[in-house]
Amino acid sequence: MRRAKTIEVEGVSLHYGAVEAVRGVTMTIEPNKVTALIGPSGCGKTTFLRSLNRMHELTPGARVAGRIALDGEDIYAPGVDPVEVRRLVGMVFQAPNPFPTMSIYENVAAGLTLNRRRMKRAEKDAIVERSLRGAHLWEEVKDRLHKPGASLSGGQQQRLCIARAIAVEPEVLLMDEPCSALDPVATLAIEELVAELKSRFTIVIVTHNMQQAARASDVTAFFNVERSGEPGRLVEVGPTERIFTNPERQATEDYVSGRFG
């Protein structure tokens, strides 16, 4: 098993201008495990996820307080290149987003082309094939690599986006509700893929699907807001089985049992 990175989050608060979206999150995201972020809409799960690879700061007026470290290295320290952070910490978005003007091959190779311009074609071919195999897509597309990525089904497009993310060999994969736009069969395929990928990556997944969190994650973190207009907070984090069967906080039990949210 390839050892992936540990993410240490210490006292992290996230703002959009004057609005505090998330307050005081402290947690450790463990390597080679799937950590699910759950909680009702508007509690800051996606905002927190985007802070883990410095995408939060792409929003005008956004800022971060606190410390986020990747194997002890502060990703927000002066002099740290945010582009390199985003290479090490890849992101898969809610809706499949293959580059519409690019072929299947070009989609997977996009990050390689950006980061390693002088790569030999044979090396690039090998990485594209390895990444598509890693995303369980190679057998389905190997004979049409030069067809548009957008010509694939929704589930295939999402696996293509995962192949694109892993082609640049990140240490961490962030997934923002990657199955929300998919049918049950495609959802199961993504969940099975995530279970395999954790042997190579640290994975953090935002999901509104309680069954998916219970099935697909090793650790679950529950976010909530105390009152409307308040910032989101981390209520509880722990092994998924305990969070769903014997949580420490009443709010967690109320959420996972369906009493609210």
Side-chain angles (χ1 to χ4, degrees):
M1 178 185 288
R2 183 183 95 162
R3 187 190 175 280
K5 299 279 190 182
T6 299
I7 303 176
E8 296 163 324
V9 180
E10 300 174 7
V12 166
S13 296
L14 304 167
H15 298 77
Y16 293 104
V19 176
E20 187 177 28
V22 176
R23 177 180 295 171
V25 176
T26 295
M27 65 182 293
T28 298
I29 298 170
E30 300 175 50
N32 301 113
K33 291 187 177 180
V34 179
T35 298
L37 309 182
I38 65 171
S41 296
C43 67
K45 303 183 299 297
T46 292
T47 297
F48 175 68
L49 188 78
R50 288 168 59 88
S51 75
L52 299 178
N53 74 341
R54 296 189 58 166
M55 288 196 70
H56 173 65
E57 68 190 55
L58 295 175
T59 303
R63 57 190 174 86
V64 179
R67 183 173 184 268
I68 300 174
L70 199 59
D71 269 5
E73 298 292 327
D74 186 349
I75 67 172
Y76 285 91
V80 172
D81 181 359
V83 175
E84 177 62 13
V85 171
R86 293 175 200 131
R87 189 194 70 76
L88 290 172
V89 186
M91 174 81 85
V92 176
F93 296 91
Q94 183 171 358
N97 63 337
F99 300 127
T101 62
M102 291 187 182
S103 68
I104 293 167
Y105 181 101
E106 290 167 338
N107 262 278
V108 180
L112 302 172
T113 303
L114 183 67
N115 292 302
R116 297 160 68 181
R117 296 181 184 277
R118 299 196 177 186
M119 181 181 294
K120 292 181 180 178
R121 178 65 185 230
E123 184 182 359
K124 186 180 289 188
D125 288 349
I127 293 173
V128 168
E129 178 176 344
R130 184 171 70 238
S131 302
L132 287 167
R133 287 187 184 278
H136 287 194
L137 194 57
W138 174 253
E139 293 299 329
E140 298 168 48
V141 303
K142 63 182 180 182
D143 297 323
R144 48 180 174 144
L145 292 176
H146 300 291
K147 297 287 187 182
S151 68
L152 299 174
S153 71
Q156 289 174 324
Q157 286 185 29
Q158 194 63 297
R159 282 182 285 147
L160 177 63
C161 293
I162 292 171
R164 185 175 69 198
I166 65 179
V168 295
E169 299 184 348
E171 302 288 347
V172 179
L173 274 180
L174 309 178
M175 298 185 170
D176 186 9
E177 295 194 65
C179 302
S180 65
L182 305 182
D183 62 53
V185 173
T187 293
L188 182 60
I190 297 292
E191 289 179 8
E192 290 174 345
L193 174 57
V194 167
E196 290 188 18
L197 289 174
K198 73 179 181 181
S199 67
R200 297 168 54 200
F201 307 103
T202 301
I203 298 177
V204 188
I205 182 169
V206 169
T207 180
H208 276 105
N209 185 324
M210 292 301 94
Q211 291 77 22
Q212 181 173 81
R215 284 192 306 263
S217 71
D218 304 293
V219 176
T220 296
F222 170 55
F223 285 73
N224 197 17
V225 289
E226 293 182 3
R227 289 176 294 275
S228 178
E230 291 279 309
R233 299 173 185 263
L234 175 63
V235 175
E236 184 172 358
V237 60
T240 293
E241 184 177 3
R242 181 183 66 74
I243 293 292
F244 279 88
T245 60
N246 188 31
E248 295 175 353
R249 304 290 295 273
Q250 185 64 45
T252 310
E253 181 168 338
D254 289 345
Y255 184 74
V256 300
S257 64
R259 294 193 188 107
F260 78 96

